[in-house]
Amino acid sequence: MKYLNNLLLKCFLHKLPPELAHNITLKLIKTGLFLNNSIDSYKNLNIKLGNIDFKHPIGLAAGFDKDGEVFHQIDKLGLSHTEIGTVTPKFQTGNKKPRVFRLNKDKAIINSLGFPSKGEKYLTNRLERYHSNIPLGINIGCNKDTINQISDYSILTRNLGKYADWITINISSPNTPGLRSLQTSDILASLLSNVNEERKKIENKRGHALQVWLKISPDLNDSELKNIIDTSLKHNIDALCISNTTISRSYELKSRNKNENGGLSGKPLTLQSTKMLAKAYLHAQNNIKFIGIGGVTNADDAYLKMLAGASILQLYTGLVFNGPYLINKIIQELNKKSNSSHITNIIGSKAYEIANGRYINE
Ligand SMILES: Cc1cc2nc3c(=O)[nH]c(=O)nc-3n(C[C@H](O)[C@H](O)[C@H](O)COP(=O)(O)O)c2cc1C
C-alpha cells in the first residue's frame, strides 16, 4: 500500500514542472504526515566517521533542503543523515527560471539554479527552532555578487557551525560564475585555513569536533584532483565529497532536455563520479574519508561507490526518480552483499580496478 502511494505520488509530481514539484514535496514532508518509511536496522551497516555515528551509509545530498525547511522531519524517509544548503550569507534568488530539467529517459536532471538561498539569517532561525534527529551537515557557498569569497565561507562557518555536525565547503557548483576556479587556485589554501580558524573557535566553545568536508567537481583532471587532496590533507579536512554535478556530456543522453545548460546529475554521472572517487581514494592512502555522491540509483551503484572508497553515500536524483523506498532497497541489498560481515570491510577494496576501468559490477 505504501509502495502504491509512493508510485501515485511520483506520477502526480512528475506531471508538474520540477521546481514546483520540489516545493510541493517539501511542503508534504513539512506536514510530518508524509510517509513514515521505516528502515530495517542492521548493525553491520553502522558507520562511524570520526565523532559522528551513522545508522547506515545512505543520506541526503545538498540542494534538496536548501533553506532548512525539512531537516527536522527528513529522518522519517529513512535517511541516516542530511546535508542542508547550499546556504549563502545573504538572500539571493539564483538564476532565471526555468532552471531545473528532468531527463526522464536518462534518469537524470540538469540544473542551473545558481544557489537560490533565503540566506544565513533565515536558516539560523530554523536551526534555533528545530532539532535534527539524524546527523546534520550544513553546505555553504558564497553569494554571486560577493566582493570577498573567502570571507563568505568564514562568516557562514562562524555563524552556522555550532548547529552542525559538519560543514561542507561547496566550491564545485557549475552555476555560480568563477566558483569552480576556487578549487584549482592558490586561494583554496587560504579559504581552508580561514574556515579552520572559525572551526577551532567553535570546537573550543562546544568541546567536540566540527568536521569540515569539501565538495568537489567531477570535471577535474587527475593532477587537479591530486592537488586538492594534498591541500585538503594539509588543512585537516575530514572528508571529500565526490562529487557535485557535471558539465560534461560524455554519456550519450536520450532525453528531450539533453541540451539544457547546467550541472547534470543522476545515472549518467554514476561511473564518472565513482571512477574519480576511486582515483582519489588511491591517492589519499587512507588519510581522509570520502563521501560518495553522484548517480546512486540502486544498490549496485551504492555498493560500487563503497568498493571505490566511499565511507558513506548521499543521493538526490535517485530519490526524484525512485522515491524514498529506494533507501530501503539499498539498505537491504547492502546488508545481503556485505554477507553479515561489517560493511566497512569492503571500503576501497576495489579502488584500483575501478580507477583503471577494470571492474565489472557483480
Ligand atoms: C536540483 C539540484 C540542486 C542541487 N543543489 C545543490 C546545492 O545547492 N549544493 C550542492 O552542494 N549540491 C547541489 N546539488 C548536487 C547534489 O548534491 C549532488 O552532488 C549531485 O546531484 C549528484 O548526486 P545525484 O546524482 O544523486 O543527484 C544539486 C543537485 C540537484 C539535482
Side-chain angles (χ1 to χ4, degrees):
M1 186 64 189
K2 268 187 182 175
Y3 191 77
L4 188 67
N5 285 344
N6 189 35
L7 202 68
L8 289 173
L9 187 62
K10 195 194 101 181
C11 290
F12 162 69
L13 290 170
H14 279 220
K15 295 255 178 297
L16 304 173
E19 267 199 77
L20 176 62
H22 182 69
N23 291 334
I24 291 175
T25 305
L26 287 179
K27 290 220 158 68
L28 284 171
I29 297 173
K30 221 171 176 175
T31 62
L33 301 169
F34 182 63
L35 281 180
N36 211 350
N37 186 22
S38 57
I39 295 281
D40 295 334
S41 162
Y42 299 108
K43 265 214 167 104
N44 58 325
L45 298 187
N46 296 168
I47 310 265
K48 194 171 179 61
L49 276 197
N51 60 326
I52 313 176
D53 290 305
F54 299 88
K55 267 197 201 134
H56 61 72
I58 311 297
L60 185 63
F64 184 92
D65 187 11
K66 285 177 184 282
D67 296 306
E69 303 290 357
V70 295
F71 68 89
H72 55 302
Q73 299 278 17
I74 203 83
D75 57 300
K76 294 208 172 86
L77 299 195
L79 295 152
S80 74
H81 64 282
T82 184
E83 189 168 302
I84 58 177
T86 297
V87 59
T88 56
K90 288 186 302 171
F91 168 91
Q92 65 177 27
T93 53
N95 293 328
K96 244 176 68 199
K97 291 181 187 172
R99 51 194 184 173
V100 184
F101 302 90
R102 282 187 213 103
L103 280 69
N104 292 325
K105 289 186 183 152
D106 302 296
K107 299 265 181 283
I109 290 176
I110 293 176
N111 92 82
S112 57
L113 285 159
F115 290 170
S117 171
K118 291 185 179 161
E120 173 221 314
K121 289 221 167 72
Y122 181 89
L123 186 59
T124 307
N125 202 288
R126 308 248 351 127
L127 290 161
E128 280 287 329
R129 285 174 58 193
Y130 299 102
H131 168 79
S132 175
N133 300 311
I134 47 180
L136 175 76
I138 304 180
N139 180 305
I140 60 173
C142 57
N143 277 113
K144 187 179 176 184
D145 64 356
T146 185
I147 47 167
N148 189 337
Q149 292 170 315
I150 294 184
S151 94
D152 278 18
Y153 288 93
S154 304
I155 289 168
L156 290 171
T157 308
R158 184 186 314 146
N159 295 342
L160 297 173
K162 66 175 171 201
Y163 303 103
D165 293 299
W166 71 92
I167 288 285
T168 297
I169 300 172
N170 179 9
I171 46 172
S172 49
S173 162
N175 303 313
T176 295
L179 187 79
R180 280 185 161 194
S181 61
L182 288 177
Q183 299 175 110
T184 48
S185 77
D186 300 340
I187 301 176
L188 180 62
S190 44
L191 194 156
L192 298 185
S193 59
N194 276 267
V195 165
N196 273 338
E197 273 177 34
E198 300 301 334
R199 159 211 252 192
K200 256 187 229 127
K201 288 182 208 157
I202 290 168
E203 289 179 336
N204 289 341
K205 215 167 175 185
R206 74 180 190 183
H208 64 94
L210 169 63
Q211 294 197 21
V212 177
W213 299 1
L214 181 67
K215 187 162 177 180
I216 63 176
S217 148
D219 302 321
L220 298 162
N221 65 35
D222 289 356
S223 90
E224 290 167 339
L225 176 64
K226 285 180 183 167
N227 284 337
I228 290 182
I229 296 169
D230 295 343
T231 310
S232 301
L233 290 176
K234 268 189 212 143
H235 290 86
N236 297 319
I237 296 304
D238 297 279
L240 283 175
C241 307
I242 299 180
S243 72
N244 213 312
T245 55
T246 177
I247 54 166
S248 79
R249 298 289 187 265
S250 45
Y251 192 96
E252 209 179 305
L253 299 171
K254 301 180 201 72
S255 308
R256 192 163 47 90
N257 291 323
K258 65 180 179 186
N259 294 323
E260 296 295 339
N261 281 329
L264 175 69
S265 58
K267 197 66 202 164
L269 180 60
T270 315
L271 283 182
Q272 184 186 350
S273 58
T274 308
K275 208 169 167 185
M276 185 174 174
L277 167 67
K279 286 181 185 173
Y281 178 85
L282 292 174
H283 183 72
Q285 303 195 325
N286 276 329
N287 289 310
I288 195 164
K289 298 292 182 193
F290 291 98
I291 317 302
I293 321 169
V296 175
T297 62
N298 56 40
D300 285 346
D301 299 333
Y303 194 64
L304 190 68
K305 282 204 193 285
M306 297 195 83
L307 293 174
S311 292
I312 60 167
L313 308 168
Q314 295 182 343
L315 71 178
Y316 184 159
T317 308
L319 284 178
V320 172
F321 287 99
N322 300 285
Y325 288 102
L326 174 63
I327 306 162
N328 304 51
K329 282 191 208 150
I330 296 179
I331 298 302
Q332 279 159 14
E333 281 298 309
L334 283 184
N335 177 50
K336 272 194 213 148
K337 282 173 185 284
S338 66
N339 228 344
S340 68
S341 73
H342 202 277
I343 192 80
T344 46
N345 292 335
I346 66 147
I347 294 172
S349 58
K350 295 283 179 204
Y352 183 80
E353 291 83 342
I354 296 167
N356 291 295
R358 279 201 243 127
Y359 186 76
I360 300 161
N361 203 12
E362 289 145 346

